[in-house]
Amino acid sequence: MHLDVVEGPGRTDVHLCGSYDILCAAELLEVARRLAESGTDVAIQCADVTALDASCVQVLLALKRSLLGAGHQLEIRDVPSSVQELLASAGLVEPLIGDAFPPSTPQGA
Amino acid sequence: MKNVSADMAEFLVTFFEEAEEHLGTMETALVGLGTKADSNHNNELLNQVFRAAHSIKGASGAFGFNEIMRFTHAMEWLLDQLREGSKALTDPVTDLLLRANDVLKELIASLKSDGEIPSRYHGVFRELEEAVAITGAVEGEPESFVESTAEIANPGTEYRVRFVPAPQLFETGMDPVVLFSELAQLGELIEVTPDLSRLPDLFTMNPVQCYLEWSLSIRTERPASDVLDVFAFVEDFSVVEVTVAPDGAAEAAVLSEQLSEPVSLPTAAAHAEASVESVAKRPTMNVAANATKRSTLAAPAKETKNIAAKTMAGGQGSTLRVATESIDKLLNLVGELVIAQSMISEAIKDTSPAGRVRLHDAVAEMERSTRELQERVMAVRMVPIGSVFKRFPRVVRDVSSSLNKKIKLVIEGEETEIDKGMVEQIVDPLTHLIRNAIDHGIEPTSERQNVNKPEEGLIRLSAYHEGGNVVIEVVDDGRGLQLDRIREKAISRGLLSPNDQPTEEQLHALIFAAGFSTADAVSDLSGRGVGMDVVKRNVEDLSGSLTFTSKAGSGSKIQIRLPLTLAILDGLTLRMGTQLFVLPLTSVVESIRPKADQVRSVMGGKGEFIRVRGDSLPLVRLHQVMNIDGCVTDPCKALITIVEANHTRFGVLVDEVVGQAQVVVKPLEANYRRIDGLMGATIMGDGRVALILDVQCLARKSDSASIARAAAAANPSKNTVKRAERKGDANGSSDSVA
């Protein structure tokens, strides 16, 4: 895992690189918390991501909800097709990449 | 990234260890296939193999080890057909699965060494493909065991699945997303809806907890149990509910699998399965459809493979599973030690007589706790020898099959415990002994019939504890050794003179001489000696001994005697100059101070021997072997410790016998390098380092030829065979003297 964060006026650009799994979820969460507090829109460039597991996906989902709640946007760009395909099988592409955050589904539904 | 690698390394060690266990289970079950006519017996074994293959597949998928995942997936297909009865269980099929098991072993070994894919991987993969009769849809390379969702001819049944991972799922190393791609291989994923309602605020989130859950619909022609099987790896950490959709092929039923409860299919669900299976057809397979999925896993897999190789190269490859109860007991003992230490600290301040009594009591308590702690830690290192023995049904099956012999292997004493450190080292010697017993001990069927023996030869592999040792026996009911022919062979090779009258035991010992038995040796012996010197040396390297007994026409017995542990030994402490040495007490016979007329030199001073109660024993001057100055060189002013190794006695000249002590063996290799003649070092009570002598090596290391000549000259009838063994060592041994 490697990531670069570039803060600009009104938008913070993040470049993710490598494999993102449970072993780096804590580190990603720390970065996500800083991004949520940045008070800017966030764009995450994922072209160099080789893997993204559920533990990291849920961090990004929580970031997205936090940003949307604060009136900002999260844009996740250029997810490699291989990663996207895997996420799609778990129904996670739309919640992650779509414009809106899906409403909560009642448990047991 | 460094921490990531370290964490990954820990997971990998577990992965490799569990994979080896699963492979062992698979092999044992595969060898058992067809041994009984009972179809239930075979089905249970097939289930065992399937579960093991499935476990390996799941774990390797989590690490991105694609080759293993695809290969085990292919095996699953074949196993599935066998379980369903659509393919007959024949010997060739069993052989194929055993070969596949071997390839898996090689694949896992290659991961540890960062090596290449085994050369026969593709060949066996193709054989698996052919065995499940898939053709036409396969394109390009053979890694094609993936069902295409698009080509399912039969729409099958629609199942609704609710998957609620437990919060700690991630800690098991499982990624639930992977399960969906596996589910997709069963059929058509109609809808997958993640439930994000449990997702907490970013600032209260625990990154290692899973907050996601899913509801999904899948249409598949596979039974509901196959859908549940996808979740087999997470069954202890999830709630999985599988429901046949109301408008499905059968009435609704709920199949639930919850925290550690076994999978149970209610009757209605069983009916549903039956109806689905009755119309089911196998989906076809397509490489292209899955090409992108494979590349998904390739990148992380490469990184993981590097970590795997580094992990194993870094010596992290060996782990030991210990019951929590044992750890608790160790902790209690450490607690008692701490208390004893506190008592000593207090008592030492009190110089009154009462204080000395308290000090004495506290030290005694500490000694008791220390000894118990040592015993318990040693017990932790002990593992059942069954983990070694379970490999041999396969060896017997393969070798007997290739030689067209019928052989029954009886294994006894699998529960006998052996030091974990010895487990791997004893495998090769035992394998060699069993191969030899099959190849050269057990007669061909026709020969056995001629001598009224049962058609089926018998090999008995057993283990038991005896007198602080582990004893392992390999017994066969074959033809045994023909001593006359051994004698002739030894004479023809110059190992014996025609006038020598060796005992039966000495003739048996000849088979351990390097190169004594070769392919052109007498037929009933050939192979018995090939590599037997290596077997013997391997056993001796473990501080063990090996004896061979045989009766012509009735069979042979090889007995290996090993110490319970290599980590601690009772030793005799010796001094040479200012250096301390330790001799394993089990090898020490006695210590004497000889008179001048007991010491003789022969061959112009090239060899020395001493006479002890009528026997002539070679004399080893330890100060010469170890190159130590300032030692007593006159045997009559020093001491001679008589040592027995490998049924051979010799004297070791030392300055002083200091006393007995139980010492902890510290390997030299770990801190310095291996040194011939030394098996390790230890730290004495006064802080000095003592070197532990390797008695077996010492016997070889000294001028063995001159020792043997001296002994032979002094006592030809008792040392003739020893000379032969030494000659063998000098001619062909790879464990050469430095």
Side-chain angles (χ1 to χ4, degrees):
Chain A
M1 161 193 167
H2 173 77
L3 59 81
D4 294 315
V5 179
V6 179
E7 293 181 13
R11 196 178 83 172
T12 302
D13 286 301
V14 181
H15 181 198
L16 301 186
C17 181
S19 175
Y20 286 79
D21 55 25
I22 181 65
L23 301 176
C24 51
E27 198 176 335
L28 184 65
L29 178 61
E30 281 307 308
V31 174
R33 285 171 178 165
R34 290 207 302 274
L35 293 170
E37 290 176 327
S38 67
T40 65
D41 291 346
V42 175
I44 299 180
Q45 169 60 251
C46 295
D48 296 319
V49 170
T50 53
L52 188 63
D53 83 350
S55 65
C56 291
V57 167
Q58 67 179 18
V59 169
L60 295 178
L61 286 169
L63 171 64
K64 181 175 181 179
R65 190 174 59 186
S66 180
L67 287 170
L68 291 177
H72 298 291
Q73 295 293 319
L74 172 66
E75 187 183 357
I76 294 179
R77 297 175 179 166
D78 301 330
V79 179
S81 59
S82 55
V83 176
Q84 198 159 327
E85 205 170 302
L86 206 61
L87 294 178
S89 69
L92 291 168
V93 169
E94 183 56 30
L96 193 62
I97 301 177
D99 291 336
F101 194 82
S104 294
T105 310
Q107 289 204 20
Chain B
M1 198 62 214
K2 191 177 177 183
N3 289 335
V4 171
S5 297
D7 291 343
M8 180 65 86
E10 283 181 28
F11 289 127
L12 281 167
V13 168
T14 306
F15 166 75
F16 286 131
E17 188 158 294
E18 289 182 353
E20 278 167 18
E21 279 178 21
H22 290 313
L23 286 167
T25 302
M26 282 168 68
E27 188 168 275
T28 303
L30 286 169
V31 170
L33 283 175
T35 54
K36 291 181 184 174
D38 182 4
S39 63
N40 288 335
H41 168 77
N42 284 339
N43 284 341
E44 178 48 36
L45 291 175
L46 283 170
N47 285 336
Q48 285 178 22
V49 178
F50 187 92
R51 282 195 292 268
H54 196 62
S55 297
I56 293 173
K57 183 176 97 170
S60 57
F63 285 106
F65 295 146
N66 284 0
E67 295 84 4
I68 298 178
M69 198 166 66
R70 285 199 295 271
F71 198 84
T72 44
H73 190 61
M75 289 177 75
E76 281 183 5
W77 268 88
L78 179 54
L79 289 163
D80 222 16
Q81 289 190 349
L82 294 170
R83 291 198 302 182
E84 289 173 356
S86 59
K87 186 167 189 69
L89 177 63
T90 59
D91 284 345
V93 171
T94 306
D95 288 341
L96 171 58
L97 286 168
L98 281 166
R99 282 199 300 283
N101 194 64
D102 293 342
V103 168
L104 270 181
K105 281 184 192 170
E106 292 167 12
L107 269 171
I108 286 167
S110 79
L111 282 174
K112 290 181 185 175
S113 61
D114 200 20
E116 298 294 319
I117 290 179
S119 56
R120 55 177 175 161
Y121 170 82
H122 294 292
V124 175
F125 205 111
R126 279 196 193 90
E127 286 186 72
L128 288 168
E129 276 188 324
E130 287 162 11
V132 295
I134 51 150
T135 54
V138 179
E139 299 170 14
E141 59 175 340
E143 294 90 338
S144 57
F145 279 88
V146 181
E147 299 94 316
S148 163
T149 56
E151 297 186 36
I152 297 173
N154 190 300
T157 304
E158 183 182 335
Y159 296 101
R160 302 268 169 87
V161 180
R162 182 166 169 261
F163 171 37
V164 185
Q168 67 268 35
L169 176 70
F170 292 152
E171 293 172 29
T172 67
M174 283 302 300
D175 177 14
V177 169
V178 173
L179 300 177
F180 292 95
S181 84
E182 198 172 336
L183 266 180
Q185 292 174 16
L186 293 184
E188 179 191 2
L189 276 176
I190 301 167
E191 186 181 8
V192 179
T193 309
D195 181 352
L196 310 178
S197 60
R198 286 197 296 158
L199 196 65
D201 180 80
L202 198 57
F203 292 89
T204 57
M205 173 182 265
N206 179 344
V208 296
Q209 279 196 13
C210 182
Y211 301 103
L212 306 176
E213 56 186 78
W214 284 267
S215 300
L216 64 98
S217 301
I218 180 172
R219 186 180 297 281
T220 175
E221 60 179 7
R222 304 289 287 269
S225 57
D226 280 9
V227 177
L228 276 173
D229 275 351
V230 169
F231 298 92
F233 299 110
V234 297
E235 66 186 9
D236 291 339
F237 299 96
S238 312
V239 174
V240 181
E241 291 176 358
V242 179
T243 313
V244 179
D247 57 347
E251 61 183 291
V254 175
L255 316 173
S256 62
E257 180 182 1
Q258 300 190 347
L259 301 169
S260 30
E261 286 181 9
V263 177
S264 58
L265 302 179
T267 311
H271 288 316
E273 271 195 34
S275 66
V276 171
E277 285 183 329
S278 64
V279 295
K281 287 182 182 176
R282 281 273 170 227
T284 55
M285 318 222 175
N286 191 315
V287 175
N290 200 49
T292 52
K293 286 177 189 167
R294 262 189 258 140
S295 63
T296 304
L297 294 171
K302 189 177 179 184
E303 187 180 322
T304 310
K305 281 176 187 173
N306 290 337
I307 296 172
K310 286 177 188 168
T311 300
M312 305 318 287
Q316 297 178 47
S318 179
T319 60
L320 201 59
R321 290 185 189 175
V322 182
T324 311
E325 188 187 356
S326 297
I327 298 290
D328 290 344
K329 283 178 180 169
L330 290 177
L331 275 175
N332 281 341
L333 277 171
V334 170
E336 287 181 28
L337 274 176
V338 171
I339 292 168
Q341 186 191 26
S342 301
M343 288 167 64
I344 289 171
S345 298
E346 286 301 313
I348 212 163
K349 295 173 190 166
D350 184 357
T351 54
S352 69
R356 279 205 293 277
V357 171
R358 280 171 51 210
L359 180 62
H360 182 269
D361 290 347
V363 169
E365 177 62 23
M366 191 167 212
E367 282 176 356
R368 187 193 65 76
S369 296
T370 305
R371 180 161 284 274
E372 192 177 341
L373 184 63
Q374 176 190 314
E375 287 169 0
R376 289 199 180 276
V377 170
M378 294 318 303
V380 163
R381 283 185 57 86
M382 304 298 277
V383 295
I385 202 167
S387 61
V388 176
F389 283 4
K390 72 181 181 187
R391 306 166 193 231
F392 294 114
R394 171 72 187 280
V395 174
V396 171
R397 182 186 187 277
D398 287 356
V399 179
S400 60
S401 172
S402 67
L403 294 171
N404 201 23
K405 292 181 180 178
K406 290 181 180 174
I407 292 175
K408 180 181 180 183
L409 174 67
V410 175
I411 291 178
E412 294 169 345
E414 293 161 282
E415 70 288 348
T416 306
E417 291 189 320
I418 185 172
D419 191 293
K420 165 91 172 170
M422 294 186 190
V423 166
E424 284 306 318
Q425 295 177 66
I426 200 64
V427 169
D428 284 349
L430 282 179
T431 304
H432 199 95
L433 293 176
I434 286 176
R435 281 177 181 274
N436 265 355
I438 301 169
D439 196 3
H440 306 287
I442 304 288
E443 312 90 331
T445 306
S446 57
E447 191 179 324
R448 290 180 69 86
Q449 286 169 336
N450 289 341
V451 293
N452 294 323
K453 281 187 176 181
E455 197 174 282
E456 190 177 55
L458 177 70
I459 293 177
R460 191 179 300 275
L461 175 63
S462 60
Y464 54 93
H465 283 155
E466 186 181 82
N469 289 298
V470 179
V471 180
I472 304 171
E473 291 181 350
V474 180
V475 181
D476 69 65
D477 71 343
R479 55 169 74 97
L481 296 181
Q482 294 188 11
L483 298 180
D484 289 345
R485 302 183 76 173
I486 295 176
R487 190 167 181 277
E488 285 170 19
K489 186 74 183 173
I491 291 171
S492 72
R493 295 199 55 192
L495 296 173
L496 290 176
S497 73
N499 296 329
D500 285 339
Q501 294 299 321
T503 64
E504 192 173 303
E505 187 183 343
Q506 288 169 331
L507 285 170
H508 287 163
L510 276 169
I511 66 169
F512 296 109
F516 174 74
S517 179
T518 60
D520 61 349
V522 286
S523 60
D524 63 339
L525 188 63
S526 68
R528 278 273 186 215
V530 176
M532 290 294 271
D533 60 321
V534 179
V535 169
K536 181 164 165 260
R537 199 157 50 239
N538 287 346
V539 171
E540 288 171 353
D541 284 346
L542 292 169
S543 299
S545 63
L546 189 147
T547 55
F548 186 97
T549 52
S550 177
K551 189 174 178 185
S554 298
S556 302
K557 176 167 95 173
I558 291 184
Q559 190 180 67
I560 295 172
R561 192 172 285 270
L562 299 169
L564 277 180
T565 178
L566 297 177
I568 292 179
L569 63 80
D570 287 312
L572 185 69
T573 312
L574 314 169
R575 183 180 59 79
M576 292 296 301
T578 57
Q579 177 63 52
L580 293 180
F581 290 92
V582 175
L583 267 173
L585 206 55
T586 50
S587 304
V588 176
V589 179
E590 61 181 326
S591 292
I592 61 168
R593 174 165 288 156
K595 293 177 181 170
D597 61 356
Q598 284 181 271
V599 184
R600 304 268 176 84
S601 64
V602 294
M603 305 289 287
K606 288 181 180 172
E608 283 183 290
F609 66 92
I610 57 168
R611 290 195 67 81
V612 181
R613 289 187 285 278
D615 285 340
S616 294
L617 309 177
L619 178 62
V620 177
R621 287 178 177 266
L622 194 57
H623 64 92
Q624 287 180 349
V625 176
M626 294 294 164
N627 197 23
I628 299 172
D629 296 328
C631 300
V632 181
T633 56
D634 180 356
C636 301
K637 293 179 180 171
L639 280 176
I640 293 176
T641 299
I642 309 298
V643 176
E644 181 168 335
N646 188 30
H647 308 297
T648 302
R649 288 186 178 188
F650 57 96
V652 179
L653 183 66
V654 301
D655 285 5
E656 183 190 4
V657 173
V658 179
Q660 291 183 23
Q662 198 169 48
V663 299
V664 178
V665 182
K666 303 278 186 187
L668 286 173
E669 293 94 319
N671 300 304
Y672 181 49
R673 64 178 173 81
R674 179 176 170 80
I675 297 176
D676 281 347
L678 297 177
M679 61 182 286
T682 191
I683 299 170
M684 306 304 290
D686 60 3
R688 284 195 288 173
V689 172
L691 301 171
I692 303 168
L693 294 165
D694 181 345
V695 178
Q696 311 286 348
C697 190
L698 193 64
R700 294 193 297 267
K701 187 178 183 66
S702 60
D703 183 359
S704 55
S706 67
I707 289 172
R709 278 195 297 274
N715 193 350
S717 64
K718 294 205 172 188
N719 287 285
T720 312
V721 173
K722 294 166 198 165
R723 179 189 67 190
E725 288 180 68
R726 300 251 185 278
K727 184 169 182 175
D729 276 351
N731 289 341
S733 168
S734 59
D735 192 0
S736 58
V737 173

